[in-house]
Amino acid sequence: MTENSQAQPAANPELPTQYAPAEVEGKLYERWVERGYFEADEKSGKPPYTIVIPPPNVTGSLHLGHAFEHTIIDALTRRKRMQGYETLWQPGMDHAGIATQNVVERELAKEGKSRHDLGRTDFVERVWQWKEESGGQISGQMRRLGDGVAWSRERFTMDEGLSAAVQTIFKRLFDDGLIYRAERIINWCPRCLTAISDIEVEYQDDNGELVSITYGDGDETLVVATTRAETMLGDTAVAVHPDDARYTHLVGRRIKLPLTDRTIPVVADEHVDPEFGTGAVKVTPAHDPNDFEIGRRHDLPNITVMDERAVITVPGPFQGLDRFEARSTIVAALRAEGRIVAEKRPYVHSVGHCSRCKTTVEPRLSLQWWVKVGPLAKAAGDAVRDGRVTIHPKEMESRYFAWIDNLNDWNISRQLWWGHRIPVWHGPNGETVAVGPNDEPPTGEGWSQDTDVLDTWFSSGLWPFSTLGWPEQTPSLEKFYPNSVLVTGYDILFFWVARMMMFGLYAMDGTPPFHTIALHGMVRDQFGKKMSKSFGNAVDPLEWMDKYGSDAVRFTLARGANPGVDVPIGEDWVQGSRNFANKIWNATRFAMMNGATVEGPLPDAAEMSATDRWILYRLNETVAQVDALYEDYQFAKLSDALFHFAWDEVFDWYVELSKTTFFAGGEQAKVSGRVLGEVLDVTLRLLHPIVPFVTETLWTTLTGKESVVVADWPADSGFRDQAAEREIEHLQQVVTEVRRFRADQGLQPGQKVPGRLDLSATPLAAHETAIRQLLRLQEEGDAFQATATLPVAGATVALDLSGTIDVPAERKRLTKDRDAAEKEKQQATAKLGNEAFLAKAPDNVVDKIRGRLAKAEADIERLTAQLAALPEG
């Protein structure tokens, strides 16, 4: 293991009898920040390791998803820092356009005002005021969790530097013909009064209605079905498939549009599925994306029938009605005319909702700004295909390609006041001028800036390089770009990751923003259900931190972090992690009180006991295993490996086996004390990235050094001793089997019984005292009567259980259990021998029966051995 070159330990270090997280975590974190451990120096000669925080919304607070993601990132950066890298975990927040504007508008509503009462300038100023006073709550919560971010570099997506980056890339894209303005169908939220992107629409099954309506009169009629009858007021055609013989005679003719004084044409279009419904569809180009494309192909007019609040604007009896009220009113009017030929209620269908306010989204024709994503998306796909960027786990690549290879142009304008205002000026004669950060906007009569702001994802898409000073060629940009890895949820692969890939490759001359995209799943409750306040299963991680400590929350989350897989979590699991932290504390305290030390070099192997050599062998294997799992982002597996090594092998086996040595004192106790000190030193450093607080307290007390945060990451020394490993495995087999027998006889773990131990046929003679202690064996005594004899792995253990158990009752119980196992074996064997059953039964059913058979056979063997060990009578 690598030696740390800090100060030598203080004499007689002491630890409190109990670990109290609340008393140490806050103080430790502030000490780390004050000492600058998390800051990054672009002038250092160390290799860089960079990760950006997925910027939380300024309106947000820490939830379990944040805690999970931050735990992973913090563990990665803490380990790399210990490995000698110049680490930068870049912090910051997103201005969250719609969400933040909604928050401030609600505050204004309490005063009986709207943003229009203030005007744009004063409203934006009010938002900035709110941001300074109430925004950023999550920063304090990140400190609670232990996030090792470079706080001096904290950025905000609307600070001065990032604003310059936004204006710069907008102008470049505009000048390159990759940003344009056009009328297209967009997703419109009538509550937020803005366009929202496809990925900000949440689809859910709603109960609606499907009505079939007769269009036309006499022989020239068609039946169309719709779930949105109110949009028929904007119909400009009915479309049928060109090869549908049912309607060939109507193609090119005009038919009566019900409830209006208009006629509309029947057009033939390949888009129509003749097998679906009646094979005829109404075409409303201004209110449906597919209809819009049909309209463009057939040069149909676009008739908008609703305003921005989804209120009907068409003159007549329905004008002024909300869209849902208009729907029922129009259906009633059609029914009165006899034009409804079928109605289905409820009709369950997928409906889009605004992800922020849950209002039903309205497709709407609107003049918007767009990014032409074709060339940008191709570059983003190529960067993964040619290996410049690796997606982990690899199976997520297909989802990435399915998205990036089929991107539609990106609507980047939002009808809000809070956000990056689009840097375009419109002139009196239709001129359009994009203005960069160092340009003077055009002035004079008739010139005005565009009123829209940019989609929030536009600015957050620049995050990996704008936070480093781009478009200026800063030392930080040179040192820390590209990022080493992006850690984020698979659920925003399309929201954020794709945007960063496109912008990074475009702005940074083909250099992708990160080498690796490490995708994780979503945190769910212990039953696998999505956490939600509406479900009543949402958890505030701060409450768990208050009850169990931040380390317990972090370790629980890390133990569930399989790449790309959702993470179930329950409070009892956090309790278990708290118990682990307490176990580390108590075992380390005991070890330090009984000779564990880091002073001086390790003794020669020849001076060590087999137990010492075994634990050093296992320690080095664990170092190698943990390193390999870190490189593969296998947090669940590495956390589990550390848990079982620390709890099972170090504390439950090595410490217990060494107690006789420590109590005896002498030179061998000094040797084992130094070995135990080494094991604790390395184990605490291995654990530190995931459970930083308890390990900091224990490691600094054990070693007397400055901080484990800046200690060296352990290295595999190459020490191996397979003979010692086999010897201790032999010992573990003996102890485990006898413990199992004791438990089966109903003996309590601490209950002592007289016992005779014969190790003459094994290499375990030197361990007899330790084995006796582990098995709670008293000396035989003159009245010893071997009522049970167990041959185990070459050893023989005779126990005197007289007066301890009721032998006849125990024999009866074991016989009954063995008979049941025999019956189970017979039934399973019969089924597996039945060819007819095997031919029809599903594979999983057959596998289950095979498992039952294997268990029954193992039970029979175990119960037979227990019966044989009991005395007769």
Side-chain angles (χ1 to χ4, degrees), residues 315-330:
F318 312 112
Q319 187 173 16
L321 297 180
D322 170 80
R323 56 182 163 162
F324 299 121
E325 185 181 6
R327 181 176 300 171
S328 58
T329 304
I330 287 172

PDB file of all heavy atoms in Angstrom, residues 315-330:
ATOM      1  N   PRO A 315     -65.495  33.206 -34.851  1.00  0.00           N
ATOM      2  CA  PRO A 315     -66.776  33.896 -34.658  1.00  0.00           C
ATOM      3  C   PRO A 315     -67.941  32.914 -34.759  1.00  0.00           C
ATOM      4  O   PRO A 315     -67.953  32.008 -35.595  1.00  0.00           O
ATOM      5  CB  PRO A 315     -66.809  34.916 -35.796  1.00  0.00           C
ATOM      6  CG  PRO A 315     -65.378  35.147 -36.130  1.00  0.00           C
ATOM      7  CD  PRO A 315     -64.696  33.828 -35.923  1.00  0.00           C
ATOM      8  N   GLY A 316     -68.912  33.102 -33.896  1.00  0.00           N
ATOM      9  CA  GLY A 316     -70.064  32.228 -33.921  1.00  0.00           C
ATOM     10  C   GLY A 316     -70.456  31.792 -32.526  1.00  0.00           C
ATOM     11  O   GLY A 316     -69.980  32.349 -31.521  1.00  0.00           O
ATOM     12  N   PRO A 317     -71.267  30.773 -32.407  1.00  0.00           N
ATOM     13  CA  PRO A 317     -71.825  30.375 -31.106  1.00  0.00           C
ATOM     14  C   PRO A 317     -70.802  29.798 -30.138  1.00  0.00           C
ATOM     15  O   PRO A 317     -71.087  29.708 -28.937  1.00  0.00           O
ATOM     16  CB  PRO A 317     -72.871  29.322 -31.489  1.00  0.00           C
ATOM     17  CG  PRO A 317     -72.416  28.776 -32.808  1.00  0.00           C
ATOM     18  CD  PRO A 317     -71.804  29.953 -33.519  1.00  0.00           C
ATOM     19  N   PHE A 318     -69.634  29.377 -30.643  1.00  0.00           N
ATOM     20  CA  PHE A 318     -68.652  28.742 -29.753  1.00  0.00           C
ATOM     21  C   PHE A 318     -67.536  29.702 -29.325  1.00  0.00           C
ATOM     22  O   PHE A 318     -66.681  29.333 -28.527  1.00  0.00           O
ATOM     23  CB  PHE A 318     -68.042  27.515 -30.441  1.00  0.00           C
ATOM     24  CG  PHE A 318     -69.069  26.612 -31.054  1.00  0.00           C
ATOM     25  CD1 PHE A 318     -69.167  26.475 -32.438  1.00  0.00           C
ATOM     26  CD2 PHE A 318     -69.975  25.925 -30.257  1.00  0.00           C
ATOM     27  CE1 PHE A 318     -70.126  25.660 -33.009  1.00  0.00           C
ATOM     28  CE2 PHE A 318     -70.938  25.105 -30.818  1.00  0.00           C
ATOM     29  CZ  PHE A 318     -71.030  24.974 -32.199  1.00  0.00           C
ATOM     30  N   GLN A 319     -67.533  30.890 -29.865  1.00  0.00           N
ATOM     31  CA  GLN A 319     -66.485  31.873 -29.561  1.00  0.00           C
ATOM     32  C   GLN A 319     -66.493  32.191 -28.068  1.00  0.00           C
ATOM     33  O   GLN A 319     -67.547  32.388 -27.453  1.00  0.00           O
ATOM     34  CB  GLN A 319     -66.703  33.147 -30.365  1.00  0.00           C
ATOM     35  CG  GLN A 319     -65.563  34.158 -30.229  1.00  0.00           C
ATOM     36  CD  GLN A 319     -65.742  35.344 -31.175  1.00  0.00           C
ATOM     37  OE1 GLN A 319     -66.830  35.554 -31.707  1.00  0.00           O
ATOM     38  NE2 GLN A 319     -64.682  36.089 -31.386  1.00  0.00           N
ATOM     39  N   GLY A 320     -65.300  32.207 -27.480  1.00  0.00           N
ATOM     40  CA  GLY A 320     -65.167  32.539 -26.071  1.00  0.00           C
ATOM     41  C   GLY A 320     -65.210  31.349 -25.137  1.00  0.00           C
ATOM     42  O   GLY A 320     -64.980  31.497 -23.931  1.00  0.00           O
ATOM     43  N   LEU A 321     -65.507  30.164 -25.669  1.00  0.00           N
ATOM     44  CA  LEU A 321     -65.556  28.970 -24.834  1.00  0.00           C
ATOM     45  C   LEU A 321     -64.153  28.372 -24.656  1.00  0.00           C
ATOM     46  O   LEU A 321     -63.348  28.354 -25.591  1.00  0.00           O
ATOM     47  CB  LEU A 321     -66.464  27.899 -25.453  1.00  0.00           C
ATOM     48  CG  LEU A 321     -67.948  28.243 -25.609  1.00  0.00           C
ATOM     49  CD1 LEU A 321     -68.683  27.064 -26.246  1.00  0.00           C
ATOM     50  CD2 LEU A 321     -68.571  28.598 -24.273  1.00  0.00           C
ATOM     51  N   ASP A 322     -63.891  27.880 -23.465  1.00  0.00           N
ATOM     52  CA  ASP A 322     -62.673  27.100 -23.237  1.00  0.00           C
ATOM     53  C   ASP A 322     -62.727  25.854 -24.109  1.00  0.00           C
ATOM     54  O   ASP A 322     -63.805  25.336 -24.427  1.00  0.00           O
ATOM     55  CB  ASP A 322     -62.581  26.716 -21.757  1.00  0.00           C
ATOM     56  CG  ASP A 322     -61.477  25.721 -21.480  1.00  0.00           C
ATOM     57  OD1 ASP A 322     -60.322  26.123 -21.394  1.00  0.00           O
ATOM     58  OD2 ASP A 322     -61.801  24.504 -21.370  1.00  0.00           O
ATOM     59  N   ARG A 323     -61.557  25.334 -24.473  1.00  0.00           N
ATOM     60  CA  ARG A 323     -61.504  24.205 -25.424  1.00  0.00           C
ATOM     61  C   ARG A 323     -62.310  22.996 -24.953  1.00  0.00           C
ATOM     62  O   ARG A 323     -62.969  22.338 -25.764  1.00  0.00           O
ATOM     63  CB  ARG A 323     -60.039  23.807 -25.668  1.00  0.00           C
ATOM     64  CG  ARG A 323     -59.293  23.455 -24.391  1.00  0.00           C
ATOM     65  CD  ARG A 323     -57.836  23.116 -24.651  1.00  0.00           C
ATOM     66  NE  ARG A 323     -57.082  23.175 -23.407  1.00  0.00           N
ATOM     67  CZ  ARG A 323     -55.900  22.626 -23.217  1.00  0.00           C
ATOM     68  NH1 ARG A 323     -55.318  21.965 -24.207  1.00  0.00           N
ATOM     69  NH2 ARG A 323     -55.268  22.742 -22.066  1.00  0.00           N
ATOM     70  N   PHE A 324     -62.276  22.698 -23.647  1.00  0.00           N
ATOM     71  CA  PHE A 324     -62.995  21.526 -23.161  1.00  0.00           C
ATOM     72  C   PHE A 324     -64.505  21.783 -23.114  1.00  0.00           C
ATOM     73  O   PHE A 324     -65.313  20.893 -23.408  1.00  0.00           O
ATOM     74  CB  PHE A 324     -62.471  21.110 -21.794  1.00  0.00           C
ATOM     75  CG  PHE A 324     -61.005  20.745 -21.810  1.00  0.00           C
ATOM     76  CD1 PHE A 324     -60.092  21.421 -21.013  1.00  0.00           C
ATOM     77  CD2 PHE A 324     -60.527  19.738 -22.647  1.00  0.00           C
ATOM     78  CE1 PHE A 324     -58.742  21.097 -21.036  1.00  0.00           C
ATOM     79  CE2 PHE A 324     -59.182  19.394 -22.675  1.00  0.00           C
ATOM     80  CZ  PHE A 324     -58.289  20.087 -21.872  1.00  0.00           C
ATOM     81  N   GLU A 325     -64.875  23.001 -22.748  1.00  0.00           N
ATOM     82  CA  GLU A 325     -66.288  23.362 -22.777  1.00  0.00           C
ATOM     83  C   GLU A 325     -66.788  23.363 -24.220  1.00  0.00           C
ATOM     84  O   GLU A 325     -67.900  22.892 -24.520  1.00  0.00           O
ATOM     85  CB  GLU A 325     -66.469  24.747 -22.139  1.00  0.00           C
ATOM     86  CG  GLU A 325     -67.919  25.182 -22.013  1.00  0.00           C
ATOM     87  CD  GLU A 325     -68.053  26.566 -21.394  1.00  0.00           C
ATOM     88  OE1 GLU A 325     -67.001  27.225 -21.163  1.00  0.00           O
ATOM     89  OE2 GLU A 325     -69.187  26.994 -21.152  1.00  0.00           O
ATOM     90  N   ALA A 326     -65.963  23.862 -25.124  1.00  0.00           N
ATOM     91  CA  ALA A 326     -66.339  23.892 -26.535  1.00  0.00           C
ATOM     92  C   ALA A 326     -66.507  22.480 -27.078  1.00  0.00           C
ATOM     93  O   ALA A 326     -67.381  22.213 -27.906  1.00  0.00           O
ATOM     94  CB  ALA A 326     -65.282  24.646 -27.338  1.00  0.00           C
ATOM     95  N   ARG A 327     -65.674  21.554 -26.611  1.00  0.00           N
ATOM     96  CA  ARG A 327     -65.753  20.171 -27.102  1.00  0.00           C
ATOM     97  C   ARG A 327     -67.141  19.589 -26.851  1.00  0.00           C
ATOM     98  O   ARG A 327     -67.780  19.050 -27.767  1.00  0.00           O
ATOM     99  CB  ARG A 327     -64.686  19.316 -26.413  1.00  0.00           C
ATOM    100  CG  ARG A 327     -64.653  17.878 -26.861  1.00  0.00           C
ATOM    101  CD  ARG A 327     -63.500  17.130 -26.191  1.00  0.00           C
ATOM    102  NE  ARG A 327     -62.222  17.744 -26.530  1.00  0.00           N
ATOM    103  CZ  ARG A 327     -61.059  17.416 -25.951  1.00  0.00           C
ATOM    104  NH1 ARG A 327     -61.027  16.491 -25.006  1.00  0.00           N
ATOM    105  NH2 ARG A 327     -59.947  18.014 -26.316  1.00  0.00           N
ATOM    106  N   SER A 328     -67.619  19.679 -25.617  1.00  0.00           N
ATOM    107  CA  SER A 328     -68.924  19.095 -25.307  1.00  0.00           C
ATOM    108  C   SER A 328     -70.055  19.862 -25.997  1.00  0.00           C
ATOM    109  O   SER A 328     -71.040  19.249 -26.451  1.00  0.00           O
ATOM    110  CB  SER A 328     -69.137  19.085 -23.792  1.00  0.00           C
ATOM    111  OG  SER A 328     -69.059  20.396 -23.254  1.00  0.00           O
ATOM    112  N   THR A 329     -69.892  21.171 -26.119  1.00  0.00           N
ATOM    113  CA  THR A 329     -70.934  21.975 -26.763  1.00  0.00           C
ATOM    114  C   THR A 329     -71.028  21.651 -28.251  1.00  0.00           C
ATOM    115  O   THR A 329     -72.131  21.542 -28.820  1.00  0.00           O
ATOM    116  CB  THR A 329     -70.639  23.475 -26.570  1.00  0.00           C
ATOM    117  OG1 THR A 329     -70.513  23.744 -25.176  1.00  0.00           O
ATOM    118  CG2 THR A 329     -71.759  24.335 -27.135  1.00  0.00           C
ATOM    119  N   ILE A 330     -69.885  21.484 -28.897  1.00  0.00           N
ATOM    120  CA  ILE A 330     -69.864  21.164 -30.330  1.00  0.00           C
ATOM    121  C   ILE A 330     -70.433  19.772 -30.579  1.00  0.00           C
ATOM    122  O   ILE A 330     -71.200  19.556 -31.530  1.00  0.00           O
ATOM    123  CB  ILE A 330     -68.431  21.303 -30.879  1.00  0.00           C
ATOM    124  CG1 ILE A 330     -68.070  22.791 -30.983  1.00  0.00           C
ATOM    125  CG2 ILE A 330     -68.272  20.606 -32.220  1.00  0.00           C
ATOM    126  CD1 ILE A 330     -66.622  23.059 -31.323  1.00  0.00           C
TER     127      ILE A 330
END
